[in-house]
Amino acid sequence: KIAIASIIRDEEGSGNLGRFLDCCLELEQYHKNLVYIFIEGDSSDRTYGVLKDWTGQRSCSILEKINKGYSPFGKTKDVKRTVHLAELRNRLIELILYLQDVGEVLMIDANYGWKGDLISSLREVNAHIAAPLAVMHKDDSGRYIFYDIWVFRKNGREFWPIYPYAEDMQFDNPVDVDSVGSGYLIKRQVLEAGVRYDGNNDSEQVGFCNNARNLGFSIRINPKIYIRKGGFKE
């Protein structure tokens, strides 16, 4: 089975959650063995109710509510924020490993959308951790602005927003990178080897990827595939 795992907060009011769940529905056309594992907490909108209704219609789903009472974090490298996110993502891993028949995990944030069979496109990369590019809107030249520049890194350097996003980037073949974020397909063996999220020194996702690389696992991007912040509206 393939687990789609996400930590989710306050995504219903913006419409992001609806677009995200529509993308999950589209994946069901290609994959009949999906398992949904979601953690929601501290939302001030209808996020939990929507997720409860949606997962209640699927026998292969887990929805866990974890309220910490934290005010919404800004998009910063605040250690309190990254440690909190690491704890939640590591809880997702616990739930995933409890299911013995899950072989792959699409760890993805619920404020992204995509088109088509994202899972099969990431499998083509043939890596232990495989990611698409994470983008926002297009610039005046028609190229996407890169979004998660703090987390995506190559040769020890952060990505930048403007195409080609990093030095030595190629767009015809998979690209080896140091770390990825936002959404990525993980092979079960990575989690069984003890790779976990660490938010003490940097982004919890950078910590996860560093721990994976230290154990010899490969991390690659499929540069032909995009997930978009807020979904694809155009």
Side-chain angles (χ1 to χ4, degrees):
K1 293 182 178 180
I2 307 162
I4 298 180
S6 186
I7 52 176
I8 306 172
R9 176 178 182 175
D10 284 330
E11 297 294 351
E12 181 271 334
S14 64
N16 289 339
L17 182 59
R19 289 185 285 270
F20 170 77
L21 295 177
D22 284 346
C23 290
C24 291
L25 282 175
E26 186 174 4
L27 284 179
E28 292 180 4
Q29 300 177 25
Y30 306 99
H31 305 277
K32 305 303 181 184
N33 55 348
L34 296 180
V35 178
Y36 298 97
I37 305 178
F38 299 146
I39 292 177
E40 183 279 337
D42 292 320
S43 291
S44 59
D45 61 8
R46 295 181 58 253
T47 293
Y48 180 73
V50 171
L51 289 172
K52 187 175 181 180
D53 290 344
W54 198 84
T55 55
Q57 301 173 34
R58 289 161 175 78
S59 58
C60 294
S61 64
I62 298 173
L63 173 61
E64 189 165 290
K65 186 169 185 61
I66 300 178
N67 289 332
K68 293 285 189 176
Y70 294 148
S71 299
F73 291 104
K75 183 67 174 179
T76 69
K77 296 182 180 180
D78 179 0
V79 173
K80 183 178 180 180
R81 170 181 177 268
T82 56
V83 167
H84 171 60
L85 294 177
E87 290 175 353
L88 295 179
R89 293 191 194 276
N90 286 333
R91 175 56 183 164
L92 283 176
I93 292 175
E94 291 179 1
L95 296 171
I96 291 161
L97 292 178
Y98 179 75
L99 303 176
Q100 296 297 320
D101 52 355
V102 170
E104 299 170 289
V105 181
L106 179 63
M107 184 76 69
I108 189 161
D109 295 343
N111 53 3
Y112 281 87
W114 60 89
K115 295 180 179 179
D117 185 1
L118 177 62
I119 291 171
S120 294
S121 297
L122 294 179
R123 283 175 172 168
E124 294 174 1
V125 173
N126 191 27
H128 296 104
I129 301 173
L133 296 173
V135 301
M136 296 187 290
H137 55 278
K138 292 181 179 179
D139 62 17
D140 292 338
S141 68
R143 295 189 186 277
Y144 280 113
I145 301 293
F146 204 87
Y147 177 70
D148 209 344
I149 55 176
W150 284 351
V151 177
F152 282 77
R153 300 182 186 181
K154 188 176 187 300
N155 298 327
R157 301 181 64 178
E158 295 179 359
F159 278 35
W160 53 78
I162 308 301
Y163 182 93
Y165 313 130
E167 290 183 355
D168 302 322
M169 278 288 288
Q170 301 176 1
F171 291 84
D172 51 352
N173 294 304
V175 178
D176 289 295
V177 293
D178 298 341
S179 65
V180 295
S182 303
Y184 38 94
L185 191 67
I186 311 168
K187 293 186 182 298
R188 183 185 183 95
Q189 69 190 98
V190 175
L191 308 181
E192 289 185 332
V195 177
R196 296 295 183 269
Y197 291 90
D198 178 3
N200 286 303
N201 298 309
D202 210 325
S203 162
E204 82 283 357
Q205 299 187 85
V206 173
F208 179 83
C209 291
N210 286 344
N211 291 335
R213 285 193 299 112
N214 288 339
L215 290 177
F217 292 114
S218 55
I219 306 173
R220 297 191 185 107
I221 289 175
N222 183 343
K224 300 177 182 179
I225 306 301
Y226 298 86
I227 57 174
R228 182 179 172 185
K229 179 84 166 180
F232 287 87
K233 307 171 189 177
E234 74 272 17

